[in-house]
């Protein structure tokens, strides 16, 4: 069963953000048949890579209503206290931040860590340090969301561009309700996703642990 599920995740349908790239690869392959045969192989290889990179598998939420699930696949590179992005206009008081690094081999779809309403979305242009670099959270291009939870708490999720990621896509709007694990965007070609937990929520993951977006429990909501 594990092998079958692994195959399904690799062969999952691609995210809609992949369509221009896949069509470009197919066009290059067809053009190669007409003009220069090696271009055909380049186009085909690029198409296959895009199908793999933009894969968008279904995920199964854990049966725990108050759980924060990972907002992205990838590796936890840091767990520390930090202030949320300034452009959100929140207090500068540090919160627990769990930073997840996504390599080009990871699924790059971002998911809501818990059910809530999008109060604010703020985009911040910036640099393109390697996403695993500690400076990435503060200096890289990013897109930040505040989710208001039913109990009055708030959680912040930040999409961060990496060294070769140059396009952050966010498919939701302010005022929109999101369910836990629901897709809200994607980052193209290597990136990072930061999750700022509400006060009192202790992470149940460790640095170096691999996350499965929409499935791995990062923490549980207290006082709910």
């Amino acid at each position: 069963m594990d092998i079958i599920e692994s195959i399904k995740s690799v062969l999952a349908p691609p995210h809609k953000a992949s369509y221009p790239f896949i069509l470009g690869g197919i066009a290059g392959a067809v053009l190669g048949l007409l003009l220069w045969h090696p271009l055909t192989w380049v186009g085909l290889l690029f198409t296959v890579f895009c199908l793999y990179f933009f894969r968008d598998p279904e995920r199964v939420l854990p049966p725990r209503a108050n759980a924060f699930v990972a907002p992205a696949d990838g590796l936890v590179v840091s767990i520390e206290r930090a202030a949320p992005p300034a452009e959100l206009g929140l207090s500068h008081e540090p919160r627990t931040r769990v930073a997840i690094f996504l390599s080009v081999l990871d699924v790059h779809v971002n998911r809501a860590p818990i059910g809530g309403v999008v109060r604010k979305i703020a985009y911040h242009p910036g640099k393109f340090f390697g996403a695993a670099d500690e400076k990435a959270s503060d200096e890289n291009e990013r897109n930040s969301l505040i989710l208001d939870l039913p109990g009055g708490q708030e959680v912040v999720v930040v999409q961060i561009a990496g060294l070769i990621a140059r396009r952050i896509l966010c498919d939701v709007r302010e005022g929109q309700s999101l369910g836990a694990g629901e897709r809200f965007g994607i980052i193209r070609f290597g990136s990072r996703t930061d999750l700022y937990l509400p006060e009192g929520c202790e992470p149940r993951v460790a640095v170096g642990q691999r996350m499965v977006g929409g499935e791995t429990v990062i923490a549980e909501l207290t006082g709910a």
Side-chain angles (χ1 to χ4, degrees):
M1 183 61 70
D2 289 341
I3 295 177
I4 294 175
E5 291 303 319
S6 296
I7 293 174
K8 284 183 178 179
S9 70
V10 172
L11 299 180
H15 189 275
K16 62 183 180 181
S18 68
Y19 297 165
F21 297 93
I22 292 173
L23 291 175
I26 293 173
V30 172
L31 190 62
L33 289 174
L34 300 175
L35 302 178
W36 188 51
H37 284 184
L39 181 59
T40 298
W41 290 107
V42 173
L44 289 175
L45 288 173
F46 180 73
T47 301
V48 170
F49 169 75
C50 288
L51 287 170
Y52 175 76
F53 177 85
F54 287 101
R55 65 196 186 281
D56 185 10
E58 295 297 329
R59 295 289 163 78
V60 179
L61 280 171
R64 295 154 73 173
N66 298 325
F68 288 95
V69 294
D73 288 27
L75 196 70
V76 176
V77 292
S78 72
I79 300 174
E80 60 185 3
R81 303 280 293 177
E87 59 270 18
L88 289 174
L90 299 174
S91 166
H92 295 296
E93 286 295 318
R95 309 179 185 199
T96 299
R97 181 182 70 196
V98 179
I100 302 170
F101 168 69
L102 294 75
S103 76
V104 293
L105 300 179
D106 288 311
V107 173
H108 275 60
V109 176
N110 291 127
R111 297 171 181 270
I114 196 168
V117 177
V118 180
R119 186 207 314 170
K120 186 172 183 178
I121 301 174
Y123 171 78
H124 175 79
K127 300 177 182 178
F128 297 94
F129 290 109
D133 194 311
E134 189 56 38
K135 295 183 290 187
S137 291
D138 296 323
E139 301 192 36
N140 277 22
E141 177 185 30
R142 61 181 179 259
N143 187 67
S144 306
L145 290 78
I146 303 175
L147 280 179
D148 284 337
L149 310 186
Q153 304 94 333
E154 63 185 16
V155 63
V156 174
V157 187
V158 186
Q159 301 170 284
I160 303 173
L163 183 64
I164 55 176
R166 302 290 166 134
R167 187 73 172 96
I168 297 173
L169 300 178
C170 181
D171 298 324
V172 298
R173 63 187 185 280
E174 293 179 355
Q176 181 174 340
S177 295
L178 289 176
E182 186 174 346
R183 301 166 177 85
F184 72 83
I186 189 171
I187 315 173
R188 293 175 181 165
F189 305 118
S191 53
R192 175 167 162 170
T193 302
D194 287 356
L195 173 64
Y196 292 79
L197 295 168
E199 195 63 39
C201 295
E202 294 297 326
R204 300 195 175 187
V205 296
V207 172
Q209 185 174 345
R210 183 155 290 282
M211 301 290 98
V212 177
E215 292 190 0
T216 304
V217 174
I218 287 185
E220 288 196 5
L221 184 62
T222 58

